[in-house]
Amino acid sequence: MDFSSMDPGADWFGPPIDAADLEWALAGADDEEPAWGFDIFTSGAAHDVAVDDVDELTRELRRLTARQYALFAQVLADAASCPDPWCGPDPTLDPAWTNPRDLTVAQARAERTEMAQRAAVCDLAVRVHLSEVMIRARADDAQTLRERCPAVWDAFLRGTMDERNADTAAGCARSLPADAPEAWAMFDTAAAAAASLLSPGKFRTFARSLRERVHPESIEDRHRRARGDRSVWLSPEFDGMATWSVYGPAADLHAVHVRVDEAARHLRTQEGEARTLAQLRADVAIDLLQNAAGPAGSGKPAVAVTIPVLTLLGHGDEPAILDGYGPIDRDTAARLAGDATSWVRVLTHPVTGTVLDLDRKTYRVPKALRRWLGVRDPVCTFPGCGRLVRDCDIDHRREWQHGGATSAGNTGPLCEPHHRVKTESRWDIQMDAASGAARWVSPTGIAADADPPPW
């Protein structure tokens, strides 16, 4: 979604929320006794009151959620319309302005608009403790529904539609062609009626089918385009487990599943096999992927594990840390340690000889310092960001050209998007030279400390 095209003066909210309704929704929040203090297991008029209260509270929560979506969209529209509060005065207005990258005025202003919106998203994320992805998604959904599905948007604002159904409708509508208003209208009419009646699971099925019926392009053309989005991702789970997901062509993944299932069923028939079919499928898939021949010239992938010495020797119970995941059990850590072809000593306190400060003549961050920063700050130091240090730049808090040193007290990991926000917007970072702790201050004045390490 191109937020720069959003109208900051648009009526995002529809009819205002009645103050009495809001007062009712919040009533009892500070009461010592719960609102349902009557005996819920007795019959009588109290039950009818409780049911009515559930209906009204649900509608009110939905209305408030829709207004939050609208507010996020309005903030981003305002930032696109006027970047100055987020990025400072427009430098291209100076007749003597030049750009070191030879950008035109139009290109420089487009970048400035993008950076203002990034800074605004960061501000909202820190304020409400949601991820930046969620902030953008909700603003995007509000814009999509308002533009392409006004009937769905109106139902969401009135509280007659569940948030998950609104999200589903927005996703389907957004996937329709940008030049197909007839398809938008057909989808909107049918979706608005169904979204207020169906549960989220059933509405997802309905909306997907509806999208197929109204889409003006052939599925062959859409599939060729969708193949470009194929990807894999890893999601951490509890107790040393994880989920590995693959998004790709349905026919190929179905064939993979059939192959894994057939192998698992064959193993299930072997004498003495005690694993369940689900366990066998997982074991077969993992074994095939781990032991398959990789690209020519590729060796065994490196796995970084931080293991307390006493734990490794069997005299401690502090968990080991798998880089990119978190705590793992001692047996798995010991097995990984035994398979290691080389060692890098990483302790939870500075190791004698580790370089933590360097002469001002050195700008490049050496390996020893980078390793230490990875222990101190395992992820990007912007509040709420979880990008691993291996995917980050090592930023000079006080910039090199302004006298900043290449030292532990003046450096830390920042992912590329947040590195740009720090450099190109009015977001400011303050750093404790002794501990390296970072504190961020937004252009609107809200301050937030960097998150503690995730593990």
Side-chain angles (χ1 to χ4, degrees):
M1 175 65 63
D2 180 10
F3 292 101
S4 63
S5 63
M6 295 164 61
D7 180 4
D11 178 11
W12 288 100
F13 303 97
I17 294 179
D18 186 83
D21 288 343
L22 183 57
E23 183 178 353
W24 176 91
L26 299 177
D30 298 324
D31 294 346
E32 293 185 4
E33 294 296 327
W36 41 267
F38 52 82
D39 185 353
I40 63 173
F41 297 105
T42 62
S43 60
H47 283 159
D48 295 334
V49 172
V51 170
D52 290 341
D53 286 354
V54 167
D55 287 343
E56 180 56 33
L57 180 59
T58 299
R59 285 193 294 271
E60 192 61 38
L61 289 173
R62 289 172 176 174
R63 287 195 289 265
L64 290 170
T65 299
R67 287 175 67 84
Q68 185 197 60
Y69 277 50
L71 279 168
F72 289 167
Q74 184 172 1
V75 168
L76 296 191
D78 290 343
S81 176
C82 182
D84 289 15
W86 302 99
C87 297
D90 185 354
T92 65
L93 297 177
D94 184 346
W97 175 82
T98 58
N99 185 273
R101 291 184 291 145
D102 294 326
L103 296 181
T104 65
V105 169
Q107 290 171 330
R109 289 179 177 174
E111 278 199 358
R112 186 166 172 272
T113 297
E114 176 196 356
M115 193 51 53
Q117 290 177 327
R118 283 194 188 185
V121 168
C122 290
D123 182 273
L124 291 171
V126 169
R127 284 179 180 277
V128 300
H129 303 290
L130 290 175
S131 71
E132 293 168 38
V133 171
M134 182 66 74
I135 299 293
R136 283 190 177 272
R138 292 186 174 186
D140 196 354
D141 284 352
Q143 170 70 1
T144 298
L145 292 176
R146 183 177 172 276
E147 178 183 354
R148 300 189 177 190
C149 298
V152 173
W153 180 234
D154 180 67
F156 190 24
L157 285 171
R158 288 186 289 106
T160 62
M161 179 183 301
D162 184 82
E163 175 187 3
R164 290 166 293 180
N165 286 0
D167 293 344
T168 296
C172 290
R174 188 162 47 246
S175 70
L176 295 172
D179 58 351
E182 299 86 0
W184 306 349
M186 288 188 290
F187 179 86
D188 183 33
T189 300
S196 296
L197 300 174
L198 299 179
S199 64
K202 288 188 175 180
F203 181 69
R204 280 195 298 272
T205 302
F206 173 86
R208 179 180 174 186
S209 176
L210 175 62
R211 172 190 176 273
E212 290 296 328
R213 294 200 303 271
V214 305
H215 207 297
E217 293 182 307
S218 70
I219 193 170
E220 289 77 18
D221 291 341
R222 285 182 276 136
H223 177 68
R224 281 193 293 270
R225 189 165 57 247
R227 282 177 60 91
D229 295 329
R230 58 192 183 275
S231 181
V232 300
W233 60 94
L234 185 68
S235 304
E237 308 289 355
F238 292 128
D239 304 323
M241 304 295 283
T243 299
W244 191 68
S245 305
V246 182
Y247 174 77
D252 295 342
L253 292 182
H254 180 74
V256 169
H257 180 76
V258 169
R259 180 182 177 188
V260 169
D261 182 67
E262 289 177 346
R265 291 180 183 276
H266 172 73
L267 291 173
R268 188 74 178 90
T269 64
Q270 303 305 301
E271 185 178 353
E273 180 57 69
R275 289 172 291 180
T276 66
L277 194 57
Q279 291 170 340
L280 284 165
R281 289 192 188 106
D283 292 346
V284 167
I286 292 171
D287 186 63
L288 286 172
L289 289 167
Q290 280 191 329
N291 297 311
S298 66
K300 188 173 182 179
V303 178
V305 183
T306 301
I307 310 175
V309 173
L310 292 179
T311 296
L312 186 59
L313 296 177
H315 300 300
D317 57 5
E318 187 178 351
I321 302 298
L322 175 64
D323 185 31
Y325 171 78
I328 57 175
D329 62 284
R330 286 179 291 175
D331 290 343
T332 300
R335 175 173 59 81
L336 292 172
D339 292 340
T341 57
S342 64
W343 285 80
V344 175
R345 183 172 58 158
V346 181
L347 303 182
T348 55
H349 63 276
V351 180
T352 302
T354 298
V355 180
L356 297 183
D357 208 343
L358 296 175
D359 187 89
R360 258 289 301 168
K361 296 178 181 178
T362 305
Y363 173 77
R364 185 180 181 85
V365 179
K367 290 182 179 180
L369 177 54
R370 179 178 282 271
R371 286 172 183 160
W372 166 246
L373 293 174
V375 173
R376 189 191 72 190
D377 301 308
V379 298
C380 171
T381 56
F382 190 86
C385 186
R387 288 184 179 86
L388 297 173
V389 65
R390 66 171 180 241
D391 300 321
C392 292
D393 304 327
I394 299 300
D395 169 60
H396 286 70
R397 302 308 196 207
R398 183 183 180 191
E399 296 187 10
W400 172 261
Q401 63 267 31
H402 298 147
T406 304
S407 65
N410 190 54
T411 54
L414 279 182
C415 66
E416 189 274 337
H418 290 128
H419 199 168
R420 287 194 62 193
V421 166
K422 169 185 174 286
T423 303
E424 300 179 35
S425 80
R426 296 177 67 186
W427 269 93
D428 185 36
I429 183 170
Q430 302 164 356
M431 193 162 181
D432 186 297
S435 66
R439 183 173 180 82
W440 291 81
V441 181
S442 86
T444 64
I446 187 170
D449 294 329
D451 296 334
W455 48 75

